[in-house]
Amino acid sequence: MKNHVLRELPEAVAEIGALTPYAGAFAHAPTMRRCSPKIKCQRPGNNKLRGSLEEIFDELSIANGMTLSFHHHFRNGDSLVNQVLAIAAERGLKGLRIALSSVFPVHAPLVEHFKTGTVTYLDTDYISGPVATAVSQGVLSTPVMLRSHGGRARAIECGDLHIDVAFIAAPTADEYGNLNGTEGPTACGSMGYAFPDAEYADHVVAVTDTLVPYPQKTISIPQTRVDYVVTLPSVGDPKGIVSGTTQVTKDPVQLKIASLAAKAIEASGLLQNGFSFQTGAGGASLAVAHYLRKIMRENSIVGSFAMGGITGYLVSMLEEGLFQRLFDVQGFDLEAIRSLRENPNHLEVSAGMYASPFNSGCIVNQLDCVVLGATEMDTHFNVNVVTGSNGNIMGGSGGHSDAAAGAKLTIVTANLIRGRLPILRDEIVTITTPGETVDLLVTEYGIAVNPLRQDLIARLSGRGLPLKTIEEMKKLAEEISGIPDPITLTDDIVAVVEYRDGSIIDVVYKPENR
């Protein structure tokens, strides 16, 4: 069957079941009720403290085929996933289903668990490093489910992703299970991606390396959602939170792109008091914020809120008074952690509040502008952030498709030529974010506006901006670098790409070995 973006889909996939084809960004409306978590009971005097993870395995009778969930707020500094799965492997467990909100190089031991059958299913929003390579090569026996951040929260709340045991790495906890991420030697900041797991899992295990007296003063996840507390020597390394650079790029090409993007935002008419903004943590994305900062200063503009991967740069804009609030579902550096701990205008929010499409209103719906990246894009403005030009998995939607759907202005910034290959193709390897939710492509050679946005074309015209059609941009790229040879894919599906509403926008095929 073909979906709305003309991608061929199988009717069903092993371990996932029947597939609902993507029918449009807002075509699907919920018809179900919110899933009900198990009712818990703690008698006076009951003790939630346990001496080890092994005790948890015994007491909960963790068995073959169960779904264990984890969050990724430590990013590449996480250690809990590996510790839990090492115990599972030692006990000879098989067929475990792992719901890990994002996978990083530190999770490389997962590959061996795939090979031994300890883990047979992976549900995640982003995947990189050795695990991404292994999945691309078909090492995992079943396809990975790739969701968006908002889609994961929706799946948990709606019962599509049922969690038997949620393991939550908590920088601080008290003995009755009140948790936060802003205090202690391994502080990671916001714990927003763990909120749905804590709310809906059958059993919730908090794992901490800093146990504080009851009650601790700041509570992110409350005692009412936590069944057990385990203390370990370490749950993670905050140094691994930092993802690449969190400083404004100095690359002249990317600075040119960022400057053009900021000028386009200004020309759109959205940059006025109350402006709301999301950007990523990379150097190029922060460069857009850098140029916006100058415009906002010069025109005394105060925005309502900023969000995204929160970095020290956005914190400094908050502290300067350029934004009234920061919404934080995940911190990307140590300044973000400090600010969340100290500043009452820096607000911790759940993944569902951030981006779930099936609630009474998520934050992305209030965005004026979001700046996103791309590995590839086609002439219909469909964007790929899952696979590289060689077909191998190298990322995932994260909040990409969520923010694109919600924002009034969605901008993709990218070098027109990357690695001697044009970013624009007639057909991209994988569609992650549909073109109907993308408004602008900004490259070093100019700006392409989605023809669906004739109002935006009118606003940007006559403002001295280098406007081009997407076809003109693609032709220019091919004149510079040539037309790349298409890659060869096998018929083996290694991942399913879910759109945020639960429909399927694409599948990822294993590349042919060369």
Side-chain angles (χ1 to χ4, degrees):
M1 56 184 175
K2 283 189 177 181
N3 65 12
H4 189 65
V5 288
L6 305 180
R7 288 301 172 120
E8 292 276 1
L9 303 177
E11 292 187 1
V13 170
E15 294 296 318
I16 293 173
L19 304 184
T20 300
Y22 169 76
F26 303 102
H28 285 282
T31 57
M32 74 292 287
R33 287 185 176 273
R34 199 174 302 278
C35 180
S36 299
K38 278 190 173 183
I39 299 297
K40 311 293 180 64
C41 177
Q42 286 283 348
R43 304 298 184 191
N46 284 2
N47 186 0
K48 293 185 180 182
L49 292 175
R50 297 297 182 270
S52 67
L53 289 171
E54 286 83 357
E55 286 186 41
I56 296 296
F57 271 74
D58 291 335
E59 191 159 343
L60 293 180
S61 300
I62 294 177
N64 295 342
M66 279 190 171
T67 299
L68 312 182
S69 82
F70 306 85
H71 65 84
H72 71 281
H73 295 109
F74 283 100
R75 299 174 64 79
N76 204 40
D78 176 67
S79 65
L80 183 58
V81 174
N82 295 341
Q83 293 182 73
V84 170
L85 292 183
I87 295 170
E90 289 169 5
R91 292 177 171 232
L93 296 183
K94 301 295 181 183
L96 293 177
R97 300 166 64 87
I98 301 303
L100 170 55
S101 50
S102 287
V103 178
F104 291 91
V106 73
H107 299 123
L110 266 171
V111 177
E112 188 60 29
H113 297 313
F114 294 164
K115 293 177 180 177
T116 62
T118 300
V119 175
T120 55
Y121 178 79
L122 177 62
D123 191 303
T124 189
D125 308 345
Y126 175 93
I127 182 169
S128 63
V131 180
T133 301
V135 169
S136 300
Q137 294 171 347
V139 172
L140 186 58
S141 59
T142 58
V144 169
M145 171 59 86
L146 287 170
R147 306 187 194 268
S148 72
H149 285 328
R152 182 179 190 270
R154 173 207 53 80
I156 293 171
E157 293 169 1
C158 296
D160 292 343
L161 175 54
H162 174 79
I163 298 167
D164 293 298
V165 185
F167 289 90
I168 299 178
T172 64
D174 64 33
E175 63 184 21
Y176 214 48
N178 294 300
L179 318 177
N180 78 49
T182 57
E183 297 170 320
T186 56
C188 65
S190 173
M191 298 176 65
Y193 288 124
F195 284 19
D197 306 55
E199 186 71 21
Y200 291 95
D202 285 352
H203 303 283
V204 177
V205 180
V207 185
T208 187
D209 51 22
T210 304
L211 194 67
V212 298
Y214 179 89
Q216 73 166 319
K217 61 180 181 180
T218 302
I219 299 173
S220 296
I221 294 174
Q223 62 193 45
T224 54
R225 309 311 311 166
V226 176
D227 304 308
Y228 302 95
V229 178
V230 177
T231 302
L232 296 179
S234 176
V235 294
D237 180 1
K239 296 189 184 84
I241 292 170
V242 179
S243 176
T245 179
T246 56
Q247 303 297 318
V248 175
T249 182
K250 295 181 180 179
D251 179 85
V253 174
Q254 293 193 338
L255 286 173
K256 181 180 180 181
I257 294 170
S259 176
L260 281 177
K263 290 174 181 176
I265 295 169
E266 183 179 24
S268 74
L270 293 170
L271 191 57
Q272 52 188 303
N273 286 334
F275 176 69
S276 54
F277 180 61
Q278 176 174 331
T279 190
S285 297
L286 291 179
V288 180
H290 171 73
Y291 286 111
L292 279 181
R293 186 178 199 165
K294 289 183 176 181
I295 297 170
M296 293 172 75
R297 280 173 175 167
E298 290 168 0
N299 295 277
S300 300
I301 293 171
V302 177
S304 58
F305 72 88
M307 68 176 304
I310 299 299
T311 63
Y313 199 88
L314 289 181
V315 167
S316 68
M317 293 182 76
L318 172 70
E319 294 176 344
E320 189 180 340
L322 295 177
F323 286 103
Q324 294 176 323
R325 305 283 188 276
L326 289 185
F327 284 127
D328 190 346
V329 73
Q330 177 185 200
F332 277 73
D333 61 23
L334 302 184
E335 267 297 281
I337 298 168
R338 176 200 62 77
S339 175
L340 181 62
R341 181 173 59 247
E342 298 175 358
N343 193 332
N345 292 317
H346 188 158
L347 307 174
E348 182 177 25
V349 297
S350 72
M353 183 174 175
Y354 163 46
S356 172
F358 289 177
N359 58 32
S360 295
C362 55
I363 295 170
V364 296
N365 290 351
Q366 294 294 311
L367 278 173
D368 286 319
C369 178
V370 62
V371 177
L372 302 168
T375 60
E376 295 180 308
M377 194 168 178
D378 66 23
T379 53
H380 299 289
F381 285 78
N382 296 311
V383 178
N384 177 13
V385 291
V386 168
T387 50
S389 57
N390 58 4
N392 288 323
I393 295 172
M394 56 174 290
S397 181
H400 199 284
S401 61
D402 296 316
K408 294 183 180 72
L409 176 62
T410 298
I411 299 176
V412 170
T413 60
N415 290 44
L416 188 61
I417 309 297
R418 179 182 291 131
R420 295 178 294 182
L421 295 173
I423 191 174
L424 284 167
R425 308 290 184 91
D426 287 321
E427 184 171 330
I428 54 181
V429 179
T430 308
I431 295 177
T432 313
T433 298
E436 65 183 287
T437 64
V438 177
D439 302 308
L440 296 181
L441 169 65
V442 180
T443 76
E444 69 272 36
Y445 291 95
I447 300 170
V449 185
N450 192 326
L452 295 175
R453 293 295 308 272
Q454 291 297 313
D455 61 319
L456 195 55
I457 292 173
R459 280 187 174 275
L460 268 57
S461 297
R463 299 295 295 266
L465 297 172
L467 300 183
K468 292 180 169 60
T469 66
I470 195 79
E471 292 80 12
E472 289 171 338
M473 199 90 81
K474 176 175 175 288
K475 182 180 178 183
L476 176 59
E478 291 173 349
E479 288 173 352
I480 296 169
S481 66
I483 301 174
D485 294 330
I487 64 170
T488 304
L489 303 173
T490 68
D491 294 329
D492 299 329
I493 296 174
V494 295
V496 172
V497 183
E498 183 190 74
Y499 191 60
R500 59 198 299 258
D501 63 3
S503 62
I504 305 305
I505 195 165
D506 212 341
V507 293
V508 180
Y509 292 95
K510 176 184 174 183
E512 189 174 85
N513 291 328
R514 293 186 176 182

